Amino acid sequence: MPIDPNADIEITGFVWVPDFARGFVRDLRPRWACEEAGLSYRERLLDFETAKGEDYRREQPFGQVPAYRDDEVQMFESGAMVLHIAERSEALMPEDRAGRARVLTWVTAALNSVEPFVFDLVNIDTFNKDAEWGRLRRPQVIENLRGRLASLSGWLGDKHYLEGGFTAADIIMATVLREVSDEALMAEFPNLVAYRERCIGRPAFKRAMQAQLASFAPEPVAA
Ligand SMILES: N[C@@H](CCC(=O)N[C@@H](CS)C(=O)NCC(=O)O)C(=O)O
């Protein structure tokens, strides 16, 4: 979907981030959900200072992106946004109650049972790459994450997606797996690599990614 300045859905993002973060900022998730659901959205781009300001914290208490609004609701937390967008489209959410409960379960699992382990590694590899504590702690962090990936890999087996067809849960899980900063570790689980590639090979992901990348200013922008 082209971004539409008149769309009822608004998603916030950053006007500039450093190169390593481009393509990984979490507004990618609701952008991707909108693309899958065929819903247009408008973007509101913020600099860091505005994001940490009092006004914006009324929308996003932690001063982060994304924040979301449409004609009915105002939200923060990308997982909740993807679920909300999924409610507006059968493309991302099964119709039956049991199926919906499974999608909610897997979105929560991705954010609560997998992402914290991925973030522990990102915190070392990206944000503290020269720190001595990181070098000492990394083997244990890898071991912990390996355990989570092994469990996920065992569940997924040869299924194409987490629950039947592609759903909101796959948007969240695939974006979590994209954050794993050790490709050798991922390679221990070929079905997870194939799953991640299958998800991000979708045209809707590519459009969302292009839209995020196109939104960044080349240089930092001040308030
Ligand atoms: N749990 C939040 C996390 C949002 C988040 O971590 N946003 C990052 C960008 S990917 C951010 O705004 N970082 C700046 C900061 O924390 O100051 C969500 O999923 O929406």
Side-chain angles (χ1 to χ4, degrees):
M1 290 302 285
I3 295 172
D4 176 356
N6 297 314
D8 71 316
I9 294 176
E10 178 186 272
I11 297 168
T12 65
F14 282 129
V15 68
W16 179 89
V17 295
D19 283 352
F20 74 82
R22 293 178 181 223
F24 289 92
V25 185
R26 285 178 176 76
D27 56 274
L28 189 62
R29 291 169 174 169
R31 285 179 192 266
W32 185 2
C34 283
E35 292 288 353
E36 294 282 355
L39 297 170
S40 53
Y41 64 93
R42 61 182 195 267
E43 55 184 17
R44 176 156 61 107
L45 304 176
L46 311 171
D47 58 74
F48 293 123
E49 206 182 322
T50 305
K52 295 298 171 198
E54 231 177 87
D55 282 353
Y56 182 67
R57 280 179 193 271
R58 279 193 278 274
E59 293 175 57
Q60 216 294 0
F62 306 103
Q64 297 182 311
V65 303
Y68 171 102
R69 72 171 84 192
D70 61 31
D71 286 346
E72 280 179 329
V73 303
Q74 223 178 316
M75 305 177 75
F76 57 97
E77 289 299 336
S78 59
M81 289 168 206
V82 169
L83 284 167
H84 175 72
I85 294 163
E87 291 292 338
R88 293 174 61 165
S89 165
E90 280 169 33
L92 291 172
M93 185 71 91
E95 276 190 74
D96 61 301
R97 268 172 65 79
R100 299 164 92 82
R102 297 295 299 176
V103 170
L104 181 54
T105 298
W106 274 111
V107 165
T108 308
L111 295 174
N112 205 35
S113 299
V114 183
E115 190 170 47
F117 293 81
V118 175
F119 184 75
D120 278 351
L121 187 59
V122 172
N123 196 23
I124 292 172
D125 289 351
T126 304
F127 297 116
N128 292 283
K129 53 176 182 283
D130 299 322
E132 176 66 358
W133 69 262
R135 195 184 60 75
L136 295 171
R137 176 140 180 73
R138 198 173 187 280
Q140 186 60 54
V141 166
I142 287 280
E143 209 37 48
N144 296 345
L145 177 55
R146 179 179 283 121
R148 292 298 154 136
L149 295 178
S151 301
L152 181 62
S153 170
W155 164 268
L156 190 66
D158 59 6
K159 293 198 274 289
H160 271 210
Y161 297 113
L162 290 168
E163 292 283 339
F166 184 84
T167 69
D170 299 300
I171 290 183
I172 302 299
M173 190 63 87
T175 50
V176 167
L177 293 179
R178 281 183 75 237
E179 291 163 10
V180 175
S181 50
D182 189 320
E183 223 17 62
L185 177 63
M186 278 299 288
E188 293 176 24
F189 306 98
N191 67 337
L192 293 187
V193 174
Y195 164 74
R196 183 189 62 188
E197 298 311 304
R198 185 175 305 122
C199 291
I200 68 175
R202 295 173 69 86
F205 174 84
K206 291 181 184 158
R207 288 195 297 271
M209 173 67 103
Q210 275 163 8
Q212 181 180 100
L213 295 177
S215 71
F216 295 127
E219 302 294 334
V221 175

